[in-house]
Amino acid sequence: MSETFDVIIIGAGSIGTPLAMSLAKRNLRTLVLDKEASPGQGQNKRAIGGVRATHSDGSKIKACLRSLEIFSTWQAKHGDEIGWIRGGYLFPVYMEHDEAVLKELLKVQRGFGLEIDWAGPDKVRELVPGIDGKNLRGGTWAPGDGSASPLLSANAFYREALKLGAEFHFKETVKEILSGGGLIKGVATDSGSYFSKWVVNAAGAEAAAVSEQAGVKVPVNPDCHEAGITEPAQRFFEPMVVDIRPGDKSKNYYFYQNREGQIIFCLTPQPPFWGDDRRSTSEFLPEVSRRMVSLMPGLASLKVRRTWRGLYPMTPDGFPVVDFPESLKGYVLAVGMCGQGFMLGPGLGEAVAAHIAGSPSPEDREILAGFKLSRSFSGQEKLK
Ligand SMILES: Cc1cc2nc3c(=O)[nH]c(=O)nc-3n(C[C@H](O)[C@H](O)[C@H](O)COP(=O)(O)OP(=O)(O)OC[C@H]3O[C@@H](n4cnc5c(N)ncnc54)[C@H](O)[C@@H]3O)c2cc1C
């Protein structure tokens, strides 16, 4: 079997699925290939659903402001329930140093159009009733951020992409990226070959191995993170709470209450666990629950229903790689989404599709400018 498309996307995940939608909207004949049986079955479904534009740099802020627009208006425009809650993001602060860093960032964030402010201790206590008030200095508060269900969203984007004419082949693994004379030709899978002018690598945690097929090295390594969910409780707070203080065996952790009233939580282990081992550890639950209960003692009575472990496709500096390598015309990298692929997906999808269609706006260019493969990777994202 051999067919010709304008664009082939490898991966129907957090990035590939909304990108297909944006490409099909521009009348580009698009094929998405995924080795799993349906959309969002890679790392997308391991995400806890946080969507924030509260970042430390312009590219991520602008991409996520676009994503927020898409998530927050989805149900009104398309009718699907995706679990969107405009709960805001709150970074409560207990240490002088953290206050200085976050207050400094406010200027950058506001400069890029983010609605964010410093909330005093009383406002923080009002937003999160029962939060530990000892040494509480306040926190940053971005009311327009929120959360949505990764699986409901991936399926909504998938249905919309199909409606717009994109094709999806599941249970098909890309084995070879076809090229010749410095130009992309298509891909070969375990079932056949497909030809196209563009091939987008949106293969998530496996992006580096897939990129080797194109002869392009990308610094993306899987980094294991665990998450969990409790039984439901009556709603008692709205924001995603991000505690950036270091713990005994962890860096930050974050949690929110979803539409069903369940608390969903996630922790950044320290030291990191590199690799693709997805078995749950015995350290995660004691560490995260001790920290959450000390921040919000009222959580102690909730039972945890389930935990899981997934992979962040990490880059050395915590920023994605979204680029068009000169060495292979038609090859597109949309990889290295770290812990933010779900929130970046729809906004980045729009920006990448506009570049492929040859009509990027100044903002599309600005978004991709921060994600070049040729950068030194020596910086560090402050709000990973
Ligand atoms: C515990 C946890 C919590 C998280 N919480 C959040 C959060 O709150 N908000 C947020 O924005 N992000 C969060 N993330 C991060 C987020 O899940 C990832 O950044 C995101 O899913 C990566 O998107 P992606 O499209 O690059 O990869 P994926 O969604 O994994 O998609 C890649 C797809 O490529 C397919 N694929 C790979 N190789 C091939 C091949 N050779 N042939 C065919 N198909 C292939 C895979 O099957 C997969 O479906 C979290 C992650 C974890 C682990």
Side-chain angles (χ1 to χ4, degrees):
M1 188 208 320
S2 61
E3 276 186 82
T4 302
F5 294 84
D6 293 314
V7 188
I8 293 173
I9 303 173
I10 308 170
S14 303
I15 301 299
T17 311
L19 171 60
M21 185 173 78
S22 298
L23 289 166
K25 200 163 69 186
R26 288 168 172 79
N27 293 319
L28 290 163
R29 192 169 179 225
T30 303
L31 170 67
V32 188
L33 296 161
D34 201 296
K35 60 193 170 84
E36 300 294 341
S38 60
Q41 295 297 322
Q43 301 317 309
N44 176 80
K45 73 172 179 187
R46 328 258 183 239
I48 71 165
V51 182
R52 62 171 153 109
T54 304
H55 296 289
S56 62
D57 79 296
S59 289
K60 269 195 194 171
I61 293 173
K62 294 232 172 230
C64 286
L65 282 173
R66 279 216 201 158
S67 291
L68 278 165
E69 170 69 19
I70 295 168
F71 282 114
S72 63
T73 57
W74 189 270
Q75 190 170 12
K77 284 191 182 153
H78 304 275
D80 317 283
E81 165 63 83
I82 59 165
W84 166 253
I85 307 176
R86 188 184 187 267
Y89 258 67
L90 176 74
F91 287 64
V93 166
Y94 291 85
M95 289 151 84
E96 196 179 341
H97 169 262
D98 290 344
E99 179 174 347
V101 170
L102 291 188
K103 280 190 168 166
E104 193 58 33
L105 269 181
L106 282 179
K107 295 177 208 154
V108 179
Q109 292 164 329
R110 287 201 195 111
F112 287 108
L114 178 64
E115 184 193 350
I116 188 163
D117 216 336
W118 182 257
D122 288 345
K123 176 73 179 170
V124 171
R125 276 193 289 262
E126 181 195 314
L127 289 166
V128 187
I131 195 167
D132 180 18
K134 194 169 168 222
N135 300 324
L136 177 63
R137 306 175 75 90
T140 57
W141 167 233
D145 291 344
S147 58
S149 156
L151 264 181
L152 289 178
S153 304
N155 279 291
F157 300 152
Y158 166 61
R159 285 192 298 273
E160 182 65 14
L162 285 178
K163 212 190 295 172
L164 292 165
E167 291 178 41
F168 287 73
H169 291 191
F170 293 108
K171 295 189 181 172
E172 214 172 319
T173 303
V174 174
K175 297 284 191 190
E176 203 184 333
I177 292 177
L178 308 172
S179 62
L183 295 176
I184 275 289
K185 304 276 185 210
V187 302
T189 72
D190 46 6
S191 309
S193 297
Y194 306 94
F195 298 101
S196 62
K197 198 171 154 197
W198 301 91
V199 168
V200 183
N201 179 348
E206 285 135 293
V210 167
S211 201
E212 272 175 27
Q213 298 173 13
V216 176
K217 269 198 168 322
V218 286
V220 177
N221 286 299
D223 173 16
C224 313
H225 285 245
E226 285 175 273
I229 188 164
T230 68
E231 62 185 351
Q234 206 168 12
R235 285 199 76 72
F236 65 108
F237 68 106
E238 294 297 325
M240 174 78 81
V241 179
V242 187
D243 185 354
I244 58 173
R245 290 173 291 177
D248 290 342
K249 296 176 187 162
S250 52
K251 286 188 174 170
N252 63 347
Y253 64 100
Y254 47 100
F255 60 95
Y256 73 106
Q257 197 169 19
N258 70 9
R259 271 175 103 108
E260 290 73 36
Q262 296 165 288
I263 312 289
I264 312 188
F265 50 95
C266 188
L267 176 91
T268 304
Q270 178 65 6
F273 289 108
W274 295 104
D276 56 8
D277 189 348
R278 291 208 29 254
R279 291 171 302 173
S280 290
T281 66
S282 55
E283 284 107 357
F284 166 65
L285 204 48
E287 172 76 359
V288 74
S289 49
R290 190 184 50 72
R291 293 193 65 185
M292 283 171 66
V293 168
S294 102
L295 185 77
M296 270 177 85
L299 296 174
S301 56
L302 281 175
K303 292 188 181 64
V304 173
R305 275 209 173 148
R306 152 177 106 80
T307 63
W308 65 91
R309 193 174 185 196
L311 311 172
Y312 281 15
M314 275 314 285
T315 59
D317 59 3
F319 291 100
V321 176
V322 185
D323 205 356
F324 296 72
E326 285 288 320
S327 58
L328 184 54
K329 289 236 171 325
Y331 182 51
V332 185
L333 292 162
V335 303
M337 297 299 146
C338 308
Q340 288 134 20
F342 174 61
M343 62 184 82
L344 284 162
L348 264 188
E350 276 290 299
V352 173
H355 275 83
I356 290 177
S359 53
S361 66
E363 190 182 82
D364 295 322
R365 290 181 198 281
E366 219 182 310
I367 289 174
L368 265 51
F371 302 150
K372 295 255 178 261
L373 177 62
S374 58
R375 68 184 187 260
S376 68
F377 291 95
S378 57
Q380 263 315 306
E381 151 72 305
K382 294 193 180 71
L383 299 178
K384 265 198 245 182

